[in-house]
Amino acid sequence: MTTQLLVIRHGETAWNAEHRIQAISNPAFGHGFRQAARLAERLAGENVDAVYSSELARAWLTALPLAERLGLEVVPEPRLREPVFGVFGD
């Protein structure tokens, strides 16, 4: 038996589109909502046992549609948070 780990980056935020560093900021999610919905559709038939996410809005909002589609809860995991980049990150 093998374990498969899927690592998925959060959906696009307004700051991604502007090529800005986000770190722990929570800019508008925008296009990321559609990306998260497509992700949930794409993985709906997969054998997924758990969905983990940092508590940052962009990551949580990406994970939530998939978890709901699979009948799972999103498990908060602070260690998945992006690092703070000092004056460049927030």
Side-chain angles (χ1 to χ4, degrees):
M1 179 159 116
T2 61
T3 299
Q4 184 176 13
L5 175 66
L6 302 175
V7 179
I8 299 164
R9 186 176 188 271
H10 62 77
E12 183 181 68
T13 68
W15 285 16
N16 289 140
E18 297 170 6
H19 305 287
R20 294 175 60 186
I21 295 174
Q22 302 173 106
I24 60 170
S25 299
N26 279 310
F29 199 48
H31 183 60
F33 286 115
R34 290 187 297 280
Q35 292 171 328
R38 285 197 316 264
L39 172 70
E41 289 175 23
R42 168 66 178 85
L43 296 179
E46 297 295 322
N47 183 20
V48 176
D49 296 319
V51 177
Y52 293 87
S53 175
S54 81
E55 71 280 6
L56 294 176
R58 62 185 177 268
W60 197 268
L61 292 171
T62 300
L64 191 58
L66 174 62
E68 288 176 345
R69 181 99 180 230
L70 298 171
L72 299 170
E73 296 286 327
V74 179
V75 179
E77 178 47 70
R79 293 175 294 181
L80 293 174
R81 257 181 123 169
E82 290 189 43
V84 175
F85 295 102
V87 297
F88 296 105
D90 194 56

